Amino acid sequence: MLDAIFLRAKKTRASLRWLLLAAAWVSVIGGDSLWAAPPACASQCTIYFYNPETNINNYVSLKASFDTYLSQFGEGYRFQPFDEKDIFESVIGSDENSIFLISSWHYRLLKHKYPLHPMLVGVSGGVASQKKILSASQKITDLEHLRGKNIAVAGSKAYSKNVLEQIFAGKPPDLLESLRLILVPKDIDALMAVGYGMAAAALTTEKSLDDLRAINRKQYDLLEPLGASRASLLTLVVTPHQRTPAVDALLDVVDRMQGASGDTLHMLGLDGWKRLTASEQQVLEQ
Amino acid sequence: METTRIKAWIDCSTLARRAAAAIALLSLAWLAPGIPAAIADDGGKILILNSSASVKKYATVEEAFLSNLTNPTERVDMASQGAASDALRENLKNSGAALIYAIGSNAYQWAAHYAEQPIVFSSVINWRRQPLREDSYGVANELPSGVPLSMFRYLFPDIKTVGVLYSEKFNSEWLAEATAAAGDVHIELIGEKVAASAEVPEALAKLLPRVDAVWLISDPVVLANEKSAIELFRVSDAKMKPVFAYDDVYVDLGAVLTITADIPTMGVQAAKLAEDVLSDREQIADRVESPAGSHITLNVGRLQRYRLNLNRQALGSVNRVIE
């Protein structure tokens, strides 16, 4: 509903005032907000984003989409994406009025270094977790056959190696070291790189394999699953351990995205957010 | 360039919006391409011959190539050195390079003519029309036709027919291959042949009523000049038919979707190929391989003009969304 309101607001050029009224109205009639804090930012409230699970580099579009969404809540809100892990990590702990959108893999690395608390998890297709599948061309029937071969991956090198370590557990370490990673922008590229002979195997989500099966069965049939990683949670919304009113406001704003700005979430590969269950929290802290 | 994109994307009707755009620009300065180095074997020196380092896509592919190698390298910018200069030939002779990495058509043609070392190339338009030596290897500039067709199906689940204007002289083989690839994704590809650029308006008029969208391909007869390209977009839009294109330059003319090869990925592939040439050429299956990554631009704002249903779940696979 807000999508339609948003478009109309853009056309009428009365966007800010109109949208604030609309957002307030929606929250009254059906907004099931997690936090009672009003979505207002006194100074500067930032959503920091870094995702090692994709190389798509759609930051310009993502930032524009987020900032357009955030502008309806007033000035002070901003979205800051990073494509460098070290630079992203340098801002954690330096900005108390911020929240972080990060992968669960990255959270596990960070939780010992910074006082952070995961609050929400992304949902896609009704589920909040995913496995990574290693799919090879049909000529390859064993992990050993991948020695020295190109593997197409759509995540960072560090993240992809970590996932491959799970899949190659019990195999000689030099086999994993021999793999040559071809970093591609997205899962669908990785899968098609196998079909067209640029890579011997692809590391992607199950969902991407399902997508390929739906759009190009012939390409899908060229692939053979060789192994799977453990399931991991999708993108997390993480706060500093000490939550300021600004952090609560940011959480509220992010939570409201589900009804208000579907396309922004879709650009992250998500349909919505949900609160982490106790068991999910437990898994993350192990 | 990014400035223009952001300003175009955000409706700057209020001061707040302008401020958001300014923040966007400032913060994007933080972003730097972070392509991790690949596992590289020790090998010989590589001479990087760049047709023009000031061309952004050439600079990008070179940066990705360098980030994925540990070999010693030397770089030459042909635009500043001059392709015909004796100094350049002297440089090549004295470089001690075991391999040449040629970026762009000028660099490749020069290397193919003067270099004794094996060559790896990328960013060469229509490599099939270039002299291919026995020791030439490369990454093609064009995606396999099945890749954009699969993305058409992914983004637009209801699409049934896609039309292509083509010349037999340049694209008859491509059309046969693309027609088969279209069948794999349940799209009917309808080709309309043109023998001369003057025939384009009539061919387009015949094609438009039969298709859901027009796919603009790289064909010098169809795209003889800028005026004919502008006219193709104008007529297609008048008939309410979206145009998909092979290059981002057509976004400004009104393309709803462009799908191109991802440039950094080509640099990664060229680095792997260079390693293979230096270590074990016998293992190379394809001397010229297709690009492994795609870059997708979708003009959502323009798409709303047409009756084409977008799979919004697929937006996570789009590099650039324009409102």
Side-chain angles (χ1 to χ4, degrees), chain A:
Chain A
M1 179 173 64
L2 254 187
D3 274 350
I5 292 169
F6 190 63
L7 284 170
R8 187 173 154 192
K10 281 181 84 173
K11 283 175 189 164
T12 57
R13 301 229 168 192
S15 54
L16 204 56
R17 194 177 39 187
W18 209 92
L19 280 163
L20 281 167
L21 285 168
W25 180 70
V26 167
S27 68
V28 167
I29 63 155
D32 181 22
S33 178
L34 280 177
W35 294 272
C41 182
S43 54
Q44 183 153 277
C45 307
T46 308
I47 300 166
Y48 291 108
F49 171 76
Y50 170 69
N51 184 4
E53 297 186 29
T54 176
N55 297 315
I56 193 162
N57 290 2
N58 58 348
Y59 305 111
V60 176
S61 299
L62 201 54
K63 177 158 180 60
S65 187
F66 257 97
D67 283 343
T68 302
Y69 167 72
L70 293 172
S71 68
Q72 69 187 284
F73 298 101
E75 290 184 33
Y77 287 104
R78 69 184 187 124
F79 175 79
Q80 175 59 69
F82 290 86
D83 73 344
E84 286 281 2
K85 182 166 163 280
D86 293 345
I87 298 172
F88 169 78
E89 289 184 15
S90 71
V91 304
I92 301 173
S94 67
D95 183 357
E96 63 173 8
N97 295 329
S98 61
I99 62 173
F100 309 95
L101 304 191
I102 57 175
S103 76
S104 55
W105 170 79
H106 197 187
Y107 171 74
R108 285 164 178 273
L109 296 179
L110 293 172
K111 69 183 182 189
H112 302 298
K113 289 197 260 182
Y114 304 97
L116 297 171
H117 189 63
M119 298 293 294
L120 301 172
V121 60
V123 176
S124 175
V127 294
S129 64
Q130 63 181 359
K131 278 184 182 173
K132 291 278 182 165
I133 309 294
L134 185 66
S135 309
S137 65
Q138 288 185 319
K139 289 175 288 186
I140 291 167
T141 54
D142 187 274
L143 290 174
E144 186 62 46
H145 298 164
L146 289 174
R147 185 176 291 279
K149 295 280 197 293
N150 289 348
I151 313 295
V153 300
S156 74
K157 189 184 169 196
Y159 168 76
S160 302
K161 281 192 81 170
N162 178 269
V163 175
L164 287 166
E165 277 167 10
Q166 294 174 35
I167 295 170
F168 281 74
K171 295 286 178 185
D174 69 320
L175 174 59
L176 183 62
E177 285 305 311
S178 77
L179 303 180
R180 305 198 318 166
L181 303 186
I182 300 272
L183 272 57
V184 297
K186 47 198 173 285
D187 274 6
I188 203 88
D189 290 329
L191 292 167
M192 296 193 99
V194 179
Y196 285 102
M198 290 82 84
L203 184 67
T204 68
T205 62
E206 279 178 299
K207 185 183 178 297
S208 298
L209 271 168
D210 291 343
D211 287 340
L212 184 67
R213 186 174 50 199
I215 62 179
N216 194 329
R217 186 65 197 234
K218 189 178 173 185
Q219 284 283 322
Y220 175 82
D221 286 340
L222 295 172
L223 302 168
E224 197 63 52
L226 277 188
S229 72
R230 293 186 296 270
S232 63
L233 289 167
L234 300 180
T235 305
L236 300 174
V237 179
V238 174
T239 67
H241 214 67
Q242 294 294 322
R243 282 196 357 228
T244 63
V247 168
D248 281 344
L250 275 166
L251 279 169
D252 193 30
V253 163
V254 169
D255 188 43
R256 287 167 191 245
M257 287 179 82
Q258 305 184 81
S261 184
D263 281 358
T264 311
L265 276 173
H266 290 145
M267 286 163 74
L268 294 171
L270 303 172
D271 303 328
W273 304 106
K274 77 174 191 75
R275 279 179 250 207
L276 282 155
T277 63
S279 63
E280 286 165 342
Q281 293 265 18
Q282 208 173 9
V283 168
L284 280 171
E285 300 313 323
Q286 281 168 0

Side-chain angles (χ1 to χ4, degrees), chain B residues 193-206:
Chain B
K193 205 178 351 179
V194 291
S197 54
E199 295 175 15
V200 168
E202 191 187 340
L204 184 64
K206 263 197 258 178

Side-chain angles (χ1 to χ4, degrees), chain B residues 160-181:
Chain B
K160 291 181 176 68
T161 52
V162 172
V164 174
L165 293 178
Y166 75 102
S167 65
E168 277 214 301
K169 183 182 174 185
F170 292 103
N171 278 307
S172 60
E173 272 179 48
W174 177 90
L175 187 82
E177 195 182 289
T179 302

